Structures are given as structure tokens and as C-alpha cells.
Amino acid sequence: MSIRRKGIEVIGLTGQTGAGKSTASAYFRERGCPVIDCDGISRQVSAPGSRCLAALTEAFSPAILTPERTLNRKALGGMVFGHPERLARLGEIIFPFILEEIQRRIRSLERQGEPLVLLDAPTLFESGADRLCRRILAVTAREEQRLARIMERDSLTREEALRRMGSQLPQAYFEEHADFVIENNGGSGELAEKLARALDWLREGRDTPA
């Protein structure tokens, strides 16, 4: 059940890794939509000296730290992706810190009089942040396209990329739980057209897309 806010409407933006969610987020930001970047928040709350990083180090060992004592996200990913119990433990530690900061930023934007904010969250459902949202937009793509993008973007082997993809919710889950789904299987022009439709949907406040 979502939380209905009177002063500001929170729109969840999520999707599969490699589907093009970051491109969608940038599109909306460039057109004046405030965006809360949950990946950026994840980095903020796990910064050196934070309670979150201390808890992660205790749970997963100092092997997740760089020589400079910052979080080595690739090392941590190697430990948890493909291991459901470890991935769940990661979420138990980091999600409460992320949710606290999300709500702080929503309140700040609400005080500024913003009517709408986009919550860019790859783990929107897993973290429970979907309960903050009035509507949800999901970006999906075919597996082979996502695999190629992830390998190039994150410098991962095919095996590493497949483990990361396998640790996420299936495409059917996004299609079932999102209010608006963008399939990013074509070129940049086709994606731009779909994002424009989504932006109209957001700004017009319709419960369902046209």
C-alpha cells in the first residue's frame, strides 16, 4: 500500500540492470523533474566513517574495503550476487539507512513546494521504497541486450554479469507491479518517444497511461 502525500507526488523509477533506467532518469532530470538518486544515496550512507560502512564491514569482513578504507562495491558485489542469503543480509543492513535519507530528501523538496519528485531506485521493491510512491515507472529490456550493456558498463565478465542479473527480480515482476512499463529494445529515438509519453503521463497526473 502506497503512502499518499498531500504536498508532493513521489514517482518510483526502477527496472532491471542494463535496461536503461539511468538514461530515463537523465531524460526526466533534463526536463525539470527533481530526481532522488538512490544509488548516490547508497554511496553517501556507506561513506568512510559511517555507521552503515561499519556494519557492512562487520558482516562481510574488511575484504570489502579498499586500501583507503572506502567501500569496494565490486568486491562486495562479488560476495553477494549469486548468494541469496548474503544479498538479503546486505539489504537488511543498508536499506534502513537509504530509506531514512530518501524520506529526508522528500520532506526537503516538499518544503520547497515541488509538486513531483522522481525516486530513481534500482531496488525500489526490495527496499520497501515502493511504499513511498504514488505511481511506479519501470524500464525493461531483453536479456541479451542487458547482458551486453552490463559487461561493457561495469567491466564484468559474462559470468559476473549473469550473476548480477540473476540476483534481481524477474521482468514479469516489474510488468505486474509498475503502472507504466517502458520496453527499451530499440534505438535511442524509440526510447526518447516512449520517455516523452511517460513524462506526459507523469505531469498530467493520470492513474493509467494513455
Side-chain angles (χ1 to χ4, degrees):
M1 183 176 181
S2 63
I3 296 175
R4 303 298 177 90
R5 295 177 177 272
K6 293 181 179 180
I8 189 169
E9 183 170 341
V10 182
I11 306 297
L13 173 64
T14 191
Q16 303 159 299
T17 182
K21 181 182 62 59
S22 296
T23 301
S25 180
Y27 179 93
F28 296 129
R29 190 191 300 272
E30 290 166 2
R31 284 154 183 80
C33 292
V35 175
I36 295 176
D37 177 8
C38 292
D39 190 56
I41 290 177
S42 173
R43 294 176 184 274
Q44 175 186 326
V45 301
S46 59
S50 65
R51 291 182 294 127
C52 180
L53 184 58
L56 290 172
T57 305
E58 181 178 355
F60 297 103
S61 86
I64 65 169
L65 300 176
T66 68
E68 295 75 30
R69 310 299 290 178
T70 62
L71 179 61
N72 185 329
R73 292 164 68 93
K74 188 169 183 178
L76 179 59
M79 287 186 183
V80 302
F81 292 124
H83 301 277
E85 290 184 1
R86 297 178 192 173
L87 187 62
R89 180 60 181 143
L90 171 62
E92 289 172 359
I93 294 171
I94 199 168
F95 288 153
F97 292 100
I98 293 174
L99 287 170
E100 181 180 3
E101 178 61 18
I102 288 172
Q103 292 182 83
R104 187 194 69 79
R105 294 192 187 189
I106 290 174
R107 290 193 298 269
S108 176
L109 289 166
E110 193 168 34
R111 287 194 296 270
Q112 296 171 38
E114 292 286 354
L116 178 149
V117 59
L118 206 68
L119 183 59
D120 179 350
T123 54
L124 183 76
F125 298 108
E126 297 93 327
S127 66
D130 59 303
R131 294 192 294 270
L132 302 172
C133 302
R134 172 65 176 81
R135 291 177 289 169
I136 295 174
L137 168 66
V139 185
T140 65
R142 286 192 291 265
E143 181 175 312
E144 62 271 19
Q145 290 182 306
R146 295 192 294 115
L147 180 62
R149 292 169 186 164
I150 297 164
M151 291 173 63
E152 180 178 359
R153 182 191 69 195
D154 299 332
S155 300
L156 298 176
T157 66
R158 180 181 179 86
E159 182 180 350
E160 289 171 334
L162 286 171
R163 279 203 305 269
R164 184 169 298 187
M165 291 167 62
S167 296
Q168 290 196 311
L169 296 168
Q171 180 165 330
Y173 189 95
F174 292 100
E175 292 172 345
E176 181 179 350
H177 291 83
D179 300 291
F180 193 112
V181 178
I182 290 179
E183 294 182 357
N184 182 22
N185 296 317
S188 57
E190 180 181 331
L191 177 60
E193 290 179 5
K194 292 179 178 180
L195 291 173
R197 281 190 59 221
L199 183 58
D200 288 342
W201 167 69
L202 294 177
R203 286 180 167 164
E204 291 171 10
R206 289 179 276 115
D207 283 335
T208 55

